[in-house]
Amino acid sequence: MLETKEIHFYYGAFHALKNISMTMDDHTVTAFIGPSGCGKSTFLRLFNRMNDLIPDTHLTGQCLIEGQDIYQKTVDVTTLRKKVGMVFQKPNPFPKSIFENVAYGLRVDGIKDKNFIRQRVEESLKGAALWEEVKDQLKKPAFELSGGQQQRLCIARALAIEPSVILMDEPASALDPISTSKIEDLIHSLKEKYTIVIVTHNMQQAARVSNKTGFFMLGELIEFNDTKKIFLSPEKEATQNYITGRFG
Amino acid sequence: MAIMQKKTEQKIAFTFFRSLSLVVVAILFWILGFIIYNGAGVIDWEFLTTAPSDGMTGGGIFPAIAGTLYLILGSSMVAFPLGILSAVYTSEYAGNGYIIRFIRIMTNNLSGIPSIIFGLFGMALFVNTLEFGDSIIAGSFTLGLLTLPLVIRTTEEALRAIPDTFRIGSLALGATQLQTIRRITMPMAFPNIITGLILSIGRVSGETAPILFTVAAYFLPKLPQSIFDQVMALPYHLYVIATSGTDLEATRPIAYGTALVLIIIVLLMNLLASFLRKKFRKL
Ligand SMILES: Nc1ncnc2c1ncn2[C@@H]1O[C@H](COP(=O)(O)OP(=O)(O)OP(=O)(O)O)[C@@H](O)[C@H]1O
Ligand SMILES: [Mg+2]
């Protein structure tokens, strides 16, 4: 379970997230929608502490994963990031082979057992619905894959270290419709094993893939509810305006 | 009308620029041609493999070639690890605080210091204080220090050219910063780093001032036995036979031959650099 309590986040003096409290259950897909610059990515990055990399930022409130505050001093960030995987907007495979991309997380984890690695790579590629397309060319440079394949490779790479949560920041916005629907199917199947949080600008996508949807505006969480409820009968006028395209 | 005028203006301007750059190229070729014309005749197997003789009016320049190669190797061993590591630190770890900006400014200033100052400093520190004497090790450290700013700059630039998305992707998989540098950033930057390194070493291999008081021998037909021995070196040898030989007219061709060998060594290093870059790019 992911939980935030009264989160405030600042870039320097800029108040980017304002008093956000929400919970996300295990094995669900939660979508964040909202106009550009409203803080969706910033909020998403809280859960694997990628915001730590940005200088001069400041956080108050609590961010809990399975009841543990991940911002406590005792938490090891690399361990956290192995539990909370992330997929980015633009596919960013490493300049290595397909195999080595997926094995990367295992190798930095100090795993040497070749059979184990080979097996895990295969499982992960299967999990990311890419295995059939690449099984005969695992040594090929990842850059030679199509954009959609690269994105699924990045998902496989995240799966390989067996996270429990996967964060996706507009994972399909740089892809064509067919690749997009592949990613969406994939999200459906991943839900069985993982807790998924996805940021998207595509309303239909949010409606299709998620159980719950949160609508953000100007750093605030305006409304958070079952996806059906948000899209069929939102409580707030701002939400209504946004999803009907009258705003943002 | 106005447009036509602009066009003519442009044409004149570009013609002017083009002729200027042709002049530059012409000057370069002139220098090169002059050296080749005067020096090619004396270069033969004997010239490359024997020591000077007859009060430096005869014989070859083998000890100087060997000495220069030793110094290239030695100064690389000093400048590369030091320069690469500090560049990794300043560009990957250190952020942008006061200290780091101070270090940047200082390394930039370092590259503006005349090489003779490095020579004096090297003599004071390595030759005298550390009591290395006039030696390969003292010369290598001095040349290495001279190269350091260049090595740091090229490494920093190569690292900066790597987009952050790769670092972020690696860190997001639970890699530490050190692992990210070792497995992602460094291998990606490597082709550019290696070329930069070779080019910078090529640059210093022609320097005379830093080796003048730290290693270079006037005449030493024997090869060095250890890193605490002196050696002859091409640039200094060139200086010696061009200015203070026993019979300047007789040594003139030898001087041009020496210059040509020095140029060829530098050219070969540049070729090696671009070859390596192409090779690593392919991987
Ligand atoms: N590194 C940063 N430094 C300073 N301000 C930032 C930084 N990153 C984001 N911001 C600001 O914080 C606010 C929220 O940004 P964020 O990227 O979280 O928005 P977003 O909802 O993901 O937008 P988009 O839909 O365009 O991706 C924006 O106003 C942005 O300008
Ligand atoms: Mg965003």
Side-chain angles (χ1 to χ4, degrees), chain B residues 110-206:
Chain B
L110 212 57
S111 64
I113 295 176
S115 56
I116 185 81
I117 309 285
F118 277 91
L120 281 173
F121 173 78
M123 177 176 71
L125 181 63
F126 303 117
V127 176
N128 294 334
T129 310
L130 296 176
E131 296 182 357
F132 292 157
D134 274 1
S135 60
I136 295 179
I137 183 168
S140 296
F141 269 102
T142 311
L143 277 177
L145 287 188
L146 181 68
T147 336
L148 207 51
L150 251 169
V151 171
I152 293 177
R153 181 114 41 90
T154 25
T155 311
E156 276 188 340
E157 264 159 29
L159 288 172
R160 217 169 299 141
I162 310 297
D164 265 339
T165 53
F166 294 109
R167 295 184 181 87
I168 288 173
S170 168
L171 294 171
L173 287 167
T176 62
Q177 241 183 324
L178 188 60
Q179 286 171 327
T180 303
I181 291 166
R182 274 187 36 201
R183 291 169 181 266
I184 305 289
T185 335
M186 264 316 224
M188 286 181 79
F190 193 64
N192 282 335
I193 293 180
I194 193 87
T195 15
L197 296 186
I198 296 176
L199 292 181
S200 54
I201 279 299
R203 285 262 304 270
V204 298
S205 62

Side-chain angles (χ1 to χ4, degrees), chain B residues 29-281:
Chain B
F29 270 97
W30 188 22
I31 297 177
L32 214 59
F34 181 72
I35 305 258
I36 293 174
Y37 176 77
N38 287 296
V42 295
I43 297 184
D44 55 18
W45 187 244
E46 201 199 330
F47 186 71
L48 296 175
T49 54
T50 60
S53 56
D54 308 319
M56 301 225 236
T57 56
I61 54 167
F62 178 64
I65 296 177
T68 285
L69 293 181
Y70 280 125
L71 289 175
I72 287 177
L73 200 69
S75 55
S76 306
M77 280 161 63
V78 172
F80 290 1
L82 221 66
I84 292 175
L85 290 182
S86 57
V88 165
Y89 175 72
T90 53
S91 73
E92 298 289 311
Y93 281 99
N96 214 5
Y98 288 115
I99 299 179
I100 214 62
R101 264 181 283 171
F102 178 70
I103 294 181
R104 284 229 177 86
I105 291 171
M106 289 318 281
T107 41
N108 278 341
N109 282 339
L110 212 57
S111 64
I113 295 176
S115 56
I116 185 81
I117 309 285
F118 277 91
L120 281 173
F121 173 78
M123 177 176 71
L125 181 63
F126 303 117
V127 176
N128 294 334
T129 310
L130 296 176
E131 296 182 357
F132 292 157
D134 274 1
S135 60
I136 295 179
I137 183 168
S140 296
F141 269 102
T142 311
L143 277 177
L145 287 188
L146 181 68
T147 336
L148 207 51
L150 251 169
V151 171
I152 293 177
R153 181 114 41 90
T154 25
T155 311
E156 276 188 340
E157 264 159 29
L159 288 172
R160 217 169 299 141
I162 310 297
D164 265 339
T165 53
F166 294 109
R167 295 184 181 87
I168 288 173
S170 168
L171 294 171
L173 287 167
T176 62
Q177 241 183 324
L178 188 60
Q179 286 171 327
T180 303
I181 291 166
R182 274 187 36 201
R183 291 169 181 266
I184 305 289
T185 335
M186 264 316 224
M188 286 181 79
F190 193 64
N192 282 335
I193 293 180
I194 193 87
T195 15
L197 296 186
I198 296 176
L199 292 181
S200 54
I201 279 299
R203 285 262 304 270
V204 298
S205 62
E207 288 280 352
T208 314
I211 56 175
L212 198 57
F213 323 120
T214 55
V215 52
Y218 181 82
F219 176 66
L220 189 71
K222 263 193 348 185
L223 286 186
Q225 304 298 309
S226 84
I227 54 171
F228 293 100
D229 287 349
Q230 275 187 282
V231 285
M232 295 180 76
L234 286 172
Y236 181 58
H237 185 60
L238 184 55
Y239 169 73
V240 165
I241 55 181
T243 58
S244 56
T246 44
D247 179 357
L248 280 186
E249 278 314 308
T251 52
R252 213 47 103 197
I254 300 183
Y256 287 122
T258 309
L260 188 54
V261 169
L262 186 55
I263 290 177
I264 289 173
I265 289 182
V266 172
L267 272 178
L268 280 179
M269 300 231 303
N270 289 7
L271 279 179
L272 176 72
S274 56
F275 168 76
L276 284 179
R277 174 157 49 193
K278 285 213 186 86
K279 189 173 138 92
F280 284 118
R281 281 274 155 76

Side-chain angles (χ1 to χ4, degrees), chain A residues 50 53 78 81-82 84 88 92-96 104 107-108 143 157-158 161, chain B residues 165-176 179-180 183-184 187-188 283:
Chain A
M50 289 308 270
L53 302 175
T78 58
R81 289 181 187 149
K82 281 166 190 156
V84 184
F88 300 85
N92 59 345
F94 303 127
K96 295 172 182 284
Y104 184 80
R107 297 213 192 276
V108 299
F143 286 162
R157 187 173 77 178
I161 43 176
Chain B
T165 53
F166 294 109
R167 295 184 181 87
I168 288 173
S170 168
L171 294 171
L173 287 167
T176 62
Q179 286 171 327
T180 303
R183 291 169 181 266
I184 305 289
M188 286 181 79
L283 294 182

Side-chain angles (χ1 to χ4, degrees), chain A residues 142-157:
Chain A
F143 286 162
E144 290 175 19
L145 295 172
S146 75
Q149 289 174 323
Q150 288 189 12
Q151 192 61 307
R152 275 178 285 147
L153 181 68
C154 290
I155 294 175
R157 187 173 77 178

Side-chain angles (χ1 to χ4, degrees), chain A residues 40-41 89 169-170 199 201:
Chain A
K40 307 178 294 293
S41 300
Q89 177 171 6
D169 196 348
E170 306 187 39
V199 171
H201 273 285

